[in-house]
């Protein structure tokens, strides 16, 4: 599992989360405010699509409206190494 962090402003939060989810290898997204306090954490299991993402997107939209700056930490599945 690898971790990656992005610092963004609230207006770009929802767009970035949608982009990360569409990549498909994201397992968990954690949103922290600028002081490092965790605001929300969303586990993303394999096969979560469509209507199941609506509550998550609504929560991210609400957080985006409340914060000016935040950090997203993304946990990704590591790509399996290809044996040659």
């Amino acid at each position: 599992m690898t971790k990656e962090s992005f610092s963004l402003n609230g207006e770009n939060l929802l767009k970035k989360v949608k982009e990360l989810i569409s990549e498909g290898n994201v397992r968990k997204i954690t949103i922290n405010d600028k002081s490092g306090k965790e605001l929300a954490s969303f586990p993303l299991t394999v096969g979560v699509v469509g209507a199941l993402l609506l509550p998550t997107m609504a929560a991210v939209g609400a957080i985006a409206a409340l914060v000016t700056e935040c950090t997203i930490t993304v946990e990704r599945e590591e790509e399996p190494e290809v044996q040659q």
Side-chain angles (χ1 to χ4, degrees):
M1 192 83 51
T2 60
K3 288 188 178 184
E4 188 176 2
S5 293
F6 303 94
S7 294
L8 352 133
N9 58 22
E11 63 189 37
N12 293 324
L13 177 62
L14 188 57
K15 183 172 109 176
K16 185 65 175 178
V17 169
K18 286 181 181 179
E19 178 183 310
L20 290 167
I21 290 171
S22 70
E23 291 177 12
N25 63 346
V26 174
R27 295 292 158 242
K28 183 178 178 184
I29 296 175
T30 304
I31 302 171
N32 298 312
D33 66 8
K34 62 182 174 183
S35 66
K37 180 180 173 187
E38 185 176 308
L39 300 174
S41 182
F42 304 102
L44 301 172
T45 58
V46 175
V48 175
V49 293
L52 297 177
L53 286 176
L54 290 178
T56 300
M57 291 299 119
V60 171
I63 292 168
L66 296 174
V67 298
T68 54
E69 295 178 30
C70 62
T71 302
I72 299 176
T73 303
V74 179
E75 291 182 18
R76 299 178 186 269
E77 285 289 324
E78 292 184 16
E79 297 294 325
E81 291 185 25
V82 177
Q83 298 291 327
Q84 299 269 341

